[in-house]
Amino acid sequence: MAKQNATPYMISRRNFLKGAGILGLGVFGVASLSGCAPDSSSATGGSDSGKTVSVLTYNGNPPYCSLDKEGNLVGYDVDVLKAVDERLDDYSFDIDSMDFTAMITACESGSAELVSCQLVPSEERKEKFIFCEEPFCLSPMVFAVRDPNIKTLDDMAGLTTLSNPINYEYGMIENYNEKYPDKAIELKTTSDITMADAFKMVASGQVDSYSCYDGSFDAVNDEAGTGLYKTNVVLCESTYFMFNKEQTELRDAVDKVLKEMKGDGSLGKLAEQDLGVDVFTAYADVLSDNELMND
């Protein structure tokens, strides 16, 4: 097994970008963070034959990818990668971890063929990378609101919501408004604001709502002391494995396996194991970015 480093990065990439960090960086942009030195934490997949594929993830984003007490890479992304590796005869995954920005750079340069960190296929990224057709995860989203009676997208009609135009979520809501003009949500633009400050703007009445990941709501609401409520899960972001542009054959092979795993239920079982819920069945009826962004 490859050498593993027992010292994790302490800040979750998702929490950095969506919570404590500046939203102007954008969840889909390559954040302009200072690149740290590569981490040597790694985990081999199940295959021991075939072409070796350099796979990178970020080890500070639990429950998706992080280090356990022994310094082993663990989490949903890692388990899915290992399961895909088990089913691929022509490839063998060498899974390692790196600072988020360095990971993206490595994939662009070709020193890594595949990266995974709950990534969305933004227009900016699609210019530089290729993605599977099949998402390997769904991220449930809610709106932070002052009124506990606001639960659905229908309830959100005519209300204002705060979002940065460079964020993926802004595009989702914009497309939602185009698709459902009679239920449109008024977008109020912002930049350079933390998630906690966005919650405070909702609490003060400057704006009616703010979209966020369901799993982030409680921590930020407590941190900001805003006493807000959250809607039901009303939107889902689909997240994908991302590849160097030259790796079309690898991408197609991984995509085929993911579709098999989705069909036989094994992908949902891994989600239930690592995330506490089979996201593919639990959110099957929730409006997704695939429906909004690909029409």
Side-chain angles (χ1 to χ4, degrees):
M1 180 174 289
K3 180 181 177 183
Q4 300 198 15
N5 186 335
T7 305
Y9 292 96
M10 297 306 293
I11 299 177
S12 159
R13 191 272 315 187
R14 182 178 289 266
N15 288 343
F16 180 83
L17 292 180
K18 299 294 289 180
I22 294 174
L23 295 181
L25 294 175
V27 71
F28 58 83
V30 178
S32 56
L33 311 174
S34 57
C36 299
D39 191 302
S40 59
S41 310
S42 63
T44 56
S47 244
D48 57 3
S49 62
K51 177 186 174 183
T52 299
V53 175
S54 174
V55 179
L56 290 177
T57 187
Y58 170 60
N59 66 16
N61 192 29
Y64 301 101
C65 39
S66 60
L67 297 178
D68 64 13
K69 293 179 181 178
E70 287 73 43
N72 300 310
L73 275 168
V74 295
Y76 177 72
D77 288 36
V78 178
D79 286 343
V80 174
L81 286 165
K82 289 181 178 180
V84 170
D85 187 20
E86 288 279 0
R87 298 190 185 208
L88 288 175
D89 294 330
D90 297 331
Y91 300 94
S92 178
F93 287 177
D94 180 14
I95 307 171
D96 208 338
S97 65
M98 202 176 267
D99 166 78
F100 181 73
T101 304
M103 175 187 76
I104 301 297
T105 301
C107 188
E108 185 175 2
S109 70
S111 57
E113 288 108 327
L114 189 168
V115 295
S116 176
C117 190
Q118 295 297 297
L119 298 168
V120 294
S122 68
E123 292 305 314
E124 180 183 1
R125 283 182 177 156
K126 287 191 286 188
E127 291 176 1
K128 299 178 179 180
F129 307 99
I130 56 176
F131 294 81
C132 283
E133 290 183 0
E134 187 69 40
F136 75 97
C137 194
L138 296 176
S139 297
M141 296 178 63
V142 298
F143 283 90
V145 294
R146 293 186 305 279
D147 184 351
N149 296 312
I150 297 172
K151 294 294 185 183
T152 68
L153 283 173
D154 285 352
D155 296 334
M156 292 288 300
L159 299 183
T160 57
T161 195
L162 194 67
S163 189
N164 190 320
I166 70 170
N167 283 354
Y168 190 71
E169 292 85 358
Y170 186 97
M172 288 176 65
I173 298 169
E174 195 172 46
N175 282 20
Y176 171 81
N177 288 344
E178 291 177 5
K179 190 170 184 177
Y180 303 101
D182 57 328
K183 302 178 182 179
I185 301 166
E186 184 181 350
L187 279 159
K188 297 287 188 180
T189 60
T190 185
S191 61
D192 299 342
I193 186 172
T194 67
M195 189 170 170
D197 283 342
F199 273 41
K200 290 174 183 177
M201 289 181 68
V202 175
S204 69
Q206 293 174 263
V207 68
D208 295 321
S209 68
Y210 178 74
S211 62
C212 64
Y213 294 104
D214 186 30
S216 303
F217 176 86
D218 287 339
V220 177
N221 200 30
D222 290 344
E223 173 199 340
T226 44
L228 296 179
Y229 301 91
K230 66 178 179 180
T231 65
N232 299 335
V233 172
V234 292
L235 295 170
C236 275
E237 278 186 2
S238 308
T239 53
Y240 298 81
F241 292 139
M242 190 171 81
F243 302 78
N244 175 272
K245 260 196 168 178
E246 303 299 318
Q247 300 299 321
T248 53
E249 289 186 11
L250 172 63
R251 186 272 313 275
D252 292 346
V254 171
D255 203 36
K256 181 180 178 181
V257 170
L258 286 175
K259 289 173 180 175
E260 291 172 355
M261 292 176 65
K262 178 79 173 294
D264 64 24
S266 57
L267 201 57
K269 288 179 181 177
L270 285 176
E272 189 169 12
Q273 168 191 296
D274 293 336
L275 307 178
V277 60
D278 178 350
V279 295
F280 302 100
T281 57
Y283 307 123
D285 297 326
V286 175
L287 189 63
S288 75
D289 52 350
N290 278 335
E291 297 170 80
L292 292 174
M293 306 294 272
N294 297 324
D295 283 350

